[in-house]
Amino acid sequence: MSSSTDGDASQSFDETGDPIAADDDADPRNEPTGPRDGPSGREVVVPFRLYKAVTVFSTLAAVVTYFVGFTLIDAATLQISFVRTTIVYLLDNAGILPPEDVLVALLAITGVGFILLGTAVYVLGTRFRGQGMGKSQDDSSET
């Protein structure tokens, strides 16, 4: 059974709960997909199912990269960090243990890099909009 809140349902409903005809311009399924210039910059209109996947996975990727970044910064600043101890142990066994100050710099730079990567992924993920999720304020059809 399909719900009125599912963007992929066979029937669309307006804000009062009345059904919208499939050939009506107000039907969110009739909104074209693709890149647009919206009020907050460039946005990409995609089918609702794809929008949900992009939102979930970009947010998940951003959270994971933030976590890794802050963990690496923590390892750079704490001498007794579990992560730092593990990295030093692995590098020592590989025979490529750098001097202490170089290790701190590498861990800090890598940590900041992961945080910037997470920010970029999140920002790019927010550029997507599902069909029927509101038109841009610049659209002349809303007048």
Side-chain angles (χ1 to χ4, degrees), residues 1-129:
M1 182 162 180
S2 64
S3 160
S4 65
T5 60
D6 188 5
D8 296 328
S10 61
Q11 179 65 54
S12 289
F13 299 89
D14 65 6
E15 48 283 332
T16 64
D18 295 330
I20 299 174
D23 60 347
D24 189 356
D25 286 340
D27 187 356
R29 295 171 294 171
N30 292 335
E31 181 181 9
T33 58
R36 305 242 187 314
D37 286 326
S40 60
R42 188 170 174 88
E43 60 186 20
V44 180
V45 179
V46 295
F48 197 70
R49 195 171 272 200
L50 178 61
Y51 166 76
K52 291 190 292 187
V54 166
T55 301
V56 166
F57 288 114
S58 67
T59 303
L60 178 65
V63 168
V64 168
T65 56
Y66 287 150
F67 180 76
V68 170
F70 281 111
T71 302
L72 289 174
I73 289 175
D74 184 55
T77 58
L78 291 177
Q79 298 293 323
I80 56 173
S81 166
F82 173 74
V83 173
R84 182 186 182 120
T85 305
T86 305
I87 291 171
V88 168
Y89 174 76
L90 292 173
L91 290 175
D92 192 30
N93 281 344
I96 53 172
L97 185 63
E100 192 68 24
D101 55 346
V102 173
L103 180 64
V104 168
L106 287 175
L107 288 173
I109 290 170
T110 306
V112 170
F114 268 94
I115 292 170
L116 291 175
L117 176 66
T119 302
V121 167
Y122 184 76
V123 167
L124 290 175
T126 61
R127 298 286 93 192
F128 288 87
R129 179 172 67 85

